[in-house]
Amino acid sequence: MREPRHPLQLAPALALCAAALGCGSDPEVEDLVWPIGGTREVQPLSSSFGPRLQTSRDGVYDFHRGIDIPTVMGTPVYAVAAGTVTRAGRYSDFEDVAVQIEHCDEEDACFYSTYIHLVMPLVEEGEEVGRGAHIGYTGLAASSLFPHLHFEIREGGTAKAYSVHPLRFLPAPPGLPPALTARRTDTDGASSVSVEVEVSTPSVAPGLVEVAVATSNRSTGELIEERVFNYEEWNRKYTSDEDPATIDSQSLGGVRIEPAKFNAQSSAYVIVLRFSNLDGTASEDDLRITARARDVNGHEVKARAR
């Protein structure tokens, strides 16, 4: 494997993480390397998986199915794990030159690492590659002319609907749990409830994957309603070939999604979710509202909405 290259200076938060949390120590996932650098050293991100505001389109909202690693054009790209190349070149369902590699275990459970916005692939379909193999060079995104690698993990299939959070697979420090606040935004009594939830995570490897709000009866403990925004399930549910723009709507399923702007210099990843018209109780005294957030490392935090 080549020596890792560092085309960008890491964001200040990455250095802080290294000092405080031990970035670069042995991660839980030991089999993969990062596609830029070719080692287990975490790379800065300009976009994470899930809801985002596109800098190249003046803050237009969309659902991002991978992570973006900013880097200078012509930076080597490495296979994150050993596997078989299933795609290498230009395809109608990818914006730019792409490589996709199939990785299967002994029980034929497979995931597909996907590398987009390449200048050219150095591998061919059907070729076997090892972990850390040099498979191409980064280029420019055709839509934004921003030099970066767009990297995806698709679990169980090759289509967009199978995209999952890459930070579930890539080595990264466990970091700090998400920070969570919740407050009621309705004023019409306890029978129908609206809640605003704000969640933030450190900008280093932001792995938020689920936010939920539940209403319950304080007296009996009975769950009345729980509404869940799970990043991966949201992608599976709302990715549609018939209407590909559906998932890019900010309001779906009784949830409005408002991510803050994020890039490689951000100190935190922040998102606000507004859950509307949840079922409540007849009496304010009986109503309990609980919000929770979970990241890819299994950290789960809860907060009561007031």
Side-chain angles (χ1 to χ4, degrees), residues 78-117:
Y78 303 98
V80 298
T84 304
V85 177
T86 55
R87 290 185 172 194
R90 290 192 176 274
Y91 300 88
S92 60
D93 53 339
F94 290 119
E95 179 183 5
D96 293 309
V97 173
V99 167
Q100 191 170 73
I101 302 174
E102 180 185 64
H103 315 274
C104 300
D105 62 20
E106 294 178 353
E107 298 178 355
D108 288 332
C110 301
F111 72 90
Y112 300 82
S113 60
T114 307
Y115 316 74
I116 307 176
H117 308 316

Side-chain angles (χ1 to χ4, degrees), residues 108-174:
D108 288 332
C110 301
F111 72 90
Y112 300 82
S113 60
T114 307
Y115 316 74
I116 307 176
H117 308 316
L118 303 182
V119 174
M120 60 177 291
L122 300 179
V123 291
E124 298 179 348
E125 291 184 17
E127 185 175 341
E128 300 288 332
V129 297
R131 182 182 68 170
H134 185 189
I135 61 172
Y137 292 97
T138 59
L140 299 174
S143 60
S144 67
L145 300 182
F146 175 55
H148 71 283
L149 175 71
H150 175 86
F151 176 75
E152 296 183 10
I153 294 285
R154 301 183 180 185
E155 186 177 29
T158 60
K160 292 180 179 179
Y162 292 99
S163 296
V164 297
H165 206 311
L167 296 180
R168 272 210 292 119
F169 293 75
L170 292 175

Side-chain angles (χ1 to χ4, degrees), residues 77-301:
V77 177
Y78 303 98
V80 298
T84 304
V85 177
T86 55
R87 290 185 172 194
R90 290 192 176 274
Y91 300 88
S92 60
D93 53 339
F94 290 119
E95 179 183 5
D96 293 309
V97 173
V99 167
Q100 191 170 73
I101 302 174
E102 180 185 64
H103 315 274
C104 300
D105 62 20
E106 294 178 353
E107 298 178 355
D108 288 332
C110 301
F111 72 90
Y112 300 82
S113 60
T114 307
Y115 316 74
I116 307 176
H117 308 316
L118 303 182
V119 174
M120 60 177 291
L122 300 179
V123 291
E124 298 179 348
E125 291 184 17
E127 185 175 341
E128 300 288 332
V129 297
R131 182 182 68 170
H134 185 189
I135 61 172
Y137 292 97
T138 59
L140 299 174
S143 60
S144 67
L145 300 182
F146 175 55
H148 71 283
L149 175 71
H150 175 86
F151 176 75
E152 296 183 10
I153 294 285
R154 301 183 180 185
E155 186 177 29
T158 60
K160 292 180 179 179
Y162 292 99
S163 296
V164 297
H165 206 311
L167 296 180
R168 272 210 292 119
F169 293 75
L170 292 175
L176 298 171
L180 171 68
T181 61
R183 67 181 185 91
R184 286 184 64 177
T185 56
D186 61 279
T187 58
D188 299 327
S191 60
S192 180
V193 177
S194 295
V195 180
E196 176 188 280
V197 180
E198 180 176 306
V199 186
S200 63
T201 71
S203 62
V204 179
L208 186 65
V209 74
E210 185 172 279
V211 182
V213 171
T215 55
S216 61
N217 188 299
R218 187 190 304 272
S219 301
T220 65
E222 177 188 3
L223 176 67
I224 300 169
E225 182 179 358
E226 182 178 55
R227 194 168 300 166
V228 179
F229 178 76
N230 180 288
Y231 285 38
E232 296 178 358
E233 292 176 5
W234 204 260
N235 179 57
R236 284 191 291 271
K237 182 175 181 178
Y238 291 111
T239 293
S240 168
D241 291 334
E242 291 75 24
D243 188 3
T246 298
I247 196 169
D248 292 332
S249 171
Q250 278 189 266
S251 297
L252 288 169
V255 182
R256 179 163 178 82
I257 310 157
E258 300 178 0
K261 290 183 179 180
F262 178 83
N263 58 40
Q265 286 72 47
S266 298
S267 60
Y269 170 90
V270 182
I271 188 168
V272 172
L273 297 113
R274 303 180 189 276
F275 297 80
S276 59
N277 302 319
L278 289 94
D279 292 337
T281 56
S283 168
E284 287 278 0
D285 293 337
D286 286 335
L287 179 62
R288 173 176 290 158
I289 306 169
T290 306
R292 62 178 177 84
R294 179 171 58 85
D295 66 16
V296 295
N297 296 303
H299 294 134
E300 184 168 289
V301 294

